[in-house]
């Protein structure tokens, strides 16, 4: 089954099938029952929150021959024709690709004719903020004096880009991010129906990763189910989206908290043998201690399997808050310090040993001792270039990029983080950096990278660290090297490279 198939097959056909938007579906149903449906609606909200699905249900129910309790029957002739897209009275239009004055004028001329078969002509205009200024004016004229037999449903992720004149003529409904519990509920129904076996904590992880977007949740589920026919586990979900296994991290945390240097160093060796990046690993460790601390303070825990969560609870119970805070600060210092060291591994291992030996030592002290005890390292340290982010060349860009990726993670932007974790930065010049994806980019990742909010988050992070207006360009190395003739219609950001401008 393809991604589209699963998403399409389980698109809700009734308002009551929708989850997380009860405040909207209730009102719409009541309007239908009372026969007080408006002539123009504006549905706003993030991707995958149900705007288009609701618009389609509304288009059917106002035309359905046998509506019941404000819901379409989905079985009468009209409903069926709308469902298979053959009824010309219901027009779905994507404003991103039909944004000219002429496109809207053709609607304006058309609305004067009576519907061919249904009671109402319904125009669903998706991403309506993409219309040109001229097109908005043409649309406004139609909205000002709409014929009785016409309904408009406008949908957008960016309502702030719409002219006030349009906003004031529509009934506006704001679609919320869907709560995790509702996403899980819906995924369960789909899994049951599609005979997909999945663990409870794997479902929960998908719900957290989808960040309130049902479509993304279904997309992750789809990809998991394609790779695994038996039973989907939390580790498979994590592997698929690129979250590392917590086994080594847990061992290291246990080692540090029980002052066991041997165990700690074994965990570090395990990571190094796996070829994992030391810097990323350190971020994971800091995050893990932060999660222990968060659990201690709030009793909340996310993104871990039941077994892993129990480990965290155990460690939280055994440790004082202050000790956890000290470890987090020390590891954060260590992170800064190994950044400029030419002996990263030694520095890292020494820092870990010291953490095991004493509860109060700071890394600054650790490093001082290392420098004194091993003059060779000190010497190499001295011949390093300027210890500042202003360092020119790719090294500076790489370090900034690692920081950016790390801070996405700590600030909870997990999807963007997992998209970028294997990316490499290539400093083209002072103002342009190319973000390279050696493993390629999936459609899912592309959508995340194209998301306006995500772009803004990324811009801000780079600006914070560099203070410069750097343009980021995405490059899918797999696609450009293996498949230069790929159809670019749906891959606009791969080969052409989309610039992101830093907004102050
Ligand atoms: Zn019907």
């Amino acid at each position: 089954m393809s991604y589209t198939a699963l998403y399409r097959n389980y698109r809700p056909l009734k308002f009551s099938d929708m989850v997380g938007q009860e405040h909207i579906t209730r009102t719409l149903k009541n309007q239908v029952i009372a026969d007080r449906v408006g002539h123009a609606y504006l549905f706003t909200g993030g991707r995958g929150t149900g705007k288009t699905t609701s618009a389609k249900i509304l288009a059917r129910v106002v035309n359905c021959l046998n509506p019941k309790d404000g819901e379409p029957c989905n079985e009468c002739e009209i409903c069926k024709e709308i469902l298979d897209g053959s009824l010309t009275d219901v027009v779905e239009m994507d404003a991103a690709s039909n944004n000219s004055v002429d496109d809207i004028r053709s609607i304006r001329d058309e609305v004067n004719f009576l519907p061919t078969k249904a009671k109402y002509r319904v125009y669903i205009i998706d991403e309506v903020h993409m219309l040109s200024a001229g097109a908005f004016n043409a649309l406004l004229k139609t909205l000002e004096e709409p014929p009785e037999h016409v309904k408009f449903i406008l949908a957008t992720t960016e309502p702030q880009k719409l002219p006030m004149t349009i906003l004031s003529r529509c009934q506006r409904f704001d679609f919320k991010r869907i709560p995790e519990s509702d996403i899980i509920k819906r995924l369960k129904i789909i899994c049951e129906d599609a005979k997909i076996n999945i663990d409870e904590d794997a479902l929960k992880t998908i719900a957290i990763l989808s960040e309130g977007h049902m479509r993304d949740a279904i997309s992750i589920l789809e990809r998991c189910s394609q790779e695994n026919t038996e039973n989907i586990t939390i580790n498979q979900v994590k592997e698929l989206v690129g979250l590392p296994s917590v086994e080594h991290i847990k061992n290291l945390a246990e080692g540090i908290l029980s002052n066991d240097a041997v165990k700690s160093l074994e965990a570090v060796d395990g990571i190094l043998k796996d070829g994992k990046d030391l810097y990323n690993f350190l971020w994971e460790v800091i995050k893990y201690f932060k999660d222990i601390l968060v659990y201690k303070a709030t009793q909340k825990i996310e993104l871990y399997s039941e077994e892993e969560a129990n480990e965290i609870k155990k460690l939280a119970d055994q440790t004082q808050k202050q000790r956890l805070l000290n470890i987090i600060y020390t590891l954060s210092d260590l992170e800064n310090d190994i950044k400029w060291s030419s002996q990263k591994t030694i520095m890292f291992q020494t820092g870990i040993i010291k953490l095991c030996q004493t509860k109060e030592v700071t890394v600054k002290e650790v490093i001082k001792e290392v420098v004194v005890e091993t003059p060779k390292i000190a010497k190499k340290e001295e011949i390093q270039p300027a210890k500042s982010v202003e360092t020119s060349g790719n090294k500076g860009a790489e370090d900034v990029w690692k920081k950016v990726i790390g801070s996405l993670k700590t600030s909870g932007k997990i999807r963007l983080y997992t998209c970028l974790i294997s990316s490499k930065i290539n400093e083209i010049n002072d103002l342009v950096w190319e973000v390279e994806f050696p493993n390629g980019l999936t459609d899912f990742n592309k959508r995340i990278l194209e998301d306006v909010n995500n772009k803004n988050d990324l811009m801000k992070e780079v600006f914070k660290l560099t203070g410069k207006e750097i343009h980021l360009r995405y490059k899918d190395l797999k696609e450009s090297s293996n498949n230069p003739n790929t159809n670019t219609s749906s891959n606009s950001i791969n080969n052409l490279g989309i610039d992101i401008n830093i907004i102050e």
Side-chain angles (χ1 to χ4, degrees):
M1 218 189 282
S2 72
Y3 155 64
T4 332
L6 191 57
Y7 183 62
R8 239 184 231 158
N9 282 352
Y10 294 98
R11 182 166 228 164
L13 294 177
K14 293 185 171 188
F15 289 128
S16 54
D17 293 341
M18 293 187 61
V19 290
Q21 310 295 356
E22 282 75 14
H23 61 298
I24 292 173
T25 53
R26 199 187 314 119
T27 309
L28 289 174
K29 265 168 39 171
N30 287 338
Q31 289 188 352
V32 173
I33 293 166
D35 199 18
R36 283 213 304 267
V37 177
H39 74 270
Y41 288 88
L42 177 65
F43 291 172
T44 70
R47 293 168 304 106
T49 49
K51 301 185 299 295
T52 318
T53 303
S54 300
K56 286 179 174 175
I57 297 172
L58 186 59
R60 285 199 299 280
V61 71
V62 294
N63 283 317
C64 176
L65 301 176
N66 309 303
K68 205 182 166 208
D69 302 330
E71 300 271 21
C73 75
N74 293 324
E75 278 165 8
C76 70
E77 191 187 342
I78 300 281
C79 278
K80 277 186 176 160
E81 285 189 28
I82 298 177
L83 280 170
D84 67 23
S86 63
L87 187 74
T88 53
D89 294 329
V90 173
V91 180
E92 251 190 271
M93 195 182 116
D94 177 14
S97 43
N98 307 280
N99 57 5
S100 70
V101 185
D102 288 344
D103 289 317
I104 297 298
R105 275 197 188 131
S106 66
I107 294 181
R108 214 174 71 188
D109 298 339
E110 229 176 57
V111 295
N112 294 313
F113 298 103
L114 287 173
T116 56
K117 203 169 185 178
K119 194 171 169 191
Y120 296 103
R121 274 184 184 278
V122 182
Y123 292 91
I124 300 172
I125 307 180
D126 208 1
E127 296 302 337
V128 68
H129 64 274
M130 303 285 278
L131 290 181
S132 64
F136 270 129
N137 279 333
L139 179 63
L140 190 61
K141 292 213 169 70
T142 317
L143 288 177
E144 275 169 347
E145 290 174 49
E148 277 294 306
H149 58 266
V150 174
K151 308 252 176 242
F152 280 95
I153 308 170
L154 315 177
T156 181
T157 47
E158 295 174 64
Q160 75 281 4
K161 289 188 179 165
L162 296 183
M164 195 43 88
T165 44
I166 299 276
L167 289 171
S168 65
R169 280 173 176 79
C170 298
Q171 278 189 53
R172 176 169 167 172
F173 288 94
D174 293 335
F175 286 66
K176 294 183 210 152
R177 278 168 59 136
I178 304 170
E180 275 159 30
S181 56
D182 284 333
I183 289 189
I184 293 173
K185 213 191 287 174
R186 184 76 191 149
L187 291 180
K188 272 185 179 167
I189 294 171
I190 295 175
C191 287
E192 215 159 90
D193 201 81
K195 309 234 176 320
I196 297 170
N197 293 320
I198 182 162
D199 289 351
E200 186 76 29
D201 47 16
L203 273 180
K204 177 135 204 293
T205 305
I206 293 178
I208 293 168
L209 288 168
S210 72
E211 290 174 10
H213 306 288
M214 184 59 81
R215 196 186 309 163
D216 293 343
I218 296 177
S219 159
I220 298 172
L221 175 67
E222 175 83 46
R223 285 158 62 209
C224 293
S225 69
Q226 280 166 345
E227 305 218 340
N228 184 296
T229 47
E230 297 271 300
N231 186 51
I232 302 167
T233 65
I234 185 171
N235 282 336
Q236 282 152 351
V237 175
K238 283 186 181 177
E239 207 171 294
L240 195 82
V241 296
L243 291 179
S245 149
V246 293
E247 186 64 20
H248 289 306
I249 295 163
K250 184 207 77 181
N251 287 342
L252 178 57
E254 277 177 353
I256 291 173
L257 290 176
S258 58
N259 298 331
D260 185 341
V262 176
K263 181 173 182 171
S264 301
L265 288 181
E266 272 172 10
V268 174
D269 281 349
I271 278 291
L272 297 178
K273 271 186 204 145
D274 281 357
K276 293 260 157 87
D277 180 79
L278 196 62
Y279 208 80
N280 279 340
F281 176 52
L282 187 49
W283 264 110
E284 296 295 334
V285 178
I286 294 172
K287 164 84 170 24
Y288 192 79
F289 277 107
K290 192 205 81 188
D291 289 340
I292 299 175
L293 184 65
V294 167
Y295 176 77
K296 209 168 170 61
T298 67
Q299 309 289 300
K300 274 188 190 161
I301 204 160
E302 277 185 340
L303 273 179
Y304 292 96
S305 71
E306 206 183 321
E307 197 182 326
E308 289 162 0
N310 285 335
E311 295 287 349
I312 288 182
K313 288 173 193 171
K314 212 167 76 188
L315 292 174
D317 290 341
Q318 292 166 359
T319 319
Q320 299 295 317
K321 258 186 213 169
Q322 194 52 48
R323 172 95 203 270
L324 291 168
L325 276 171
N326 286 347
I327 292 173
I328 291 169
Y329 291 144
T330 308
L331 288 172
S332 300
D333 280 350
L334 181 60
E335 187 194 21
N336 280 328
D337 292 326
I338 65 170
K339 185 162 89 176
W340 302 110
S341 167
S342 53
Q343 303 285 342
K344 293 185 198 306
T345 308
I346 294 177
M347 197 72 119
F348 185 67
Q349 287 167 329
T350 316
I352 297 298
I353 293 170
K354 282 286 178 185
L355 265 179
C356 294
Q357 283 173 349
T358 159
K359 296 174 186 182
E360 299 303 329
V361 75
T362 70
V363 166
K364 291 244 161 61
E365 287 166 296
V366 174
I367 287 156
K368 246 181 251 158
E369 284 180 35
V370 171
V371 171
V372 173
E373 283 163 16
T374 50
K376 271 181 194 168
I377 296 173
K379 212 169 184 186
K380 280 194 182 164
E381 286 276 308
E382 281 165 12
I383 53 164
Q384 286 283 306
K387 293 187 178 190
S388 127
V389 222
E390 285 150 33
T391 312
S392 60
N394 214 38
K395 175 79 169 56
E398 275 170 20
D399 288 334
V400 168
W401 193 240
K402 274 181 186 170
K403 274 274 190 195
V404 167
I405 293 174
S407 59
L408 289 174
K409 173 147 209 213
T410 41
S411 57
K413 304 200 167 59
I414 302 298
R415 291 197 309 176
L416 193 54
Y417 163 78
T418 52
C419 260
L420 293 169
I421 188 162
S422 58
S423 68
K424 299 268 175 293
I425 203 79
N426 185 16
E427 188 172 5
I428 305 292
N429 58 45
D430 223 25
L431 292 173
V432 181
W433 290 3
E434 204 161 58
V435 185
E436 297 177 340
F437 295 87
N439 306 328
L441 267 172
T442 62
D443 284 345
F444 179 69
N445 286 347
K446 280 177 215 157
R447 279 214 315 276
I448 290 170
L449 292 170
E450 282 175 331
D451 183 272
V452 177
N453 291 333
N454 286 341
K455 278 184 189 174
N456 281 339
D457 288 341
L458 203 50
M459 288 168 195
K460 279 184 212 147
E461 289 301 336
V462 176
F463 186 77
K464 256 192 252 166
L465 288 161
T466 61
K468 279 193 246 171
E469 294 192 5
I470 291 170
H471 296 251
L472 295 179
R473 224 157 55 188
Y474 297 136
K475 193 175 181 190
D476 184 337
L477 292 183
K478 221 169 193 178
E479 193 124 73
S480 47
S481 65
N482 297 346
N483 205 359
N485 297 322
T486 290
N487 173 10
T488 54
S489 63
S490 65
N491 299 317
S492 54
I493 69 163
N494 301 338
N495 304 330
L496 305 173
I498 283 186
D499 281 357
I500 305 181
N501 301 309
I502 298 285
I503 300 169
E504 285 182 61

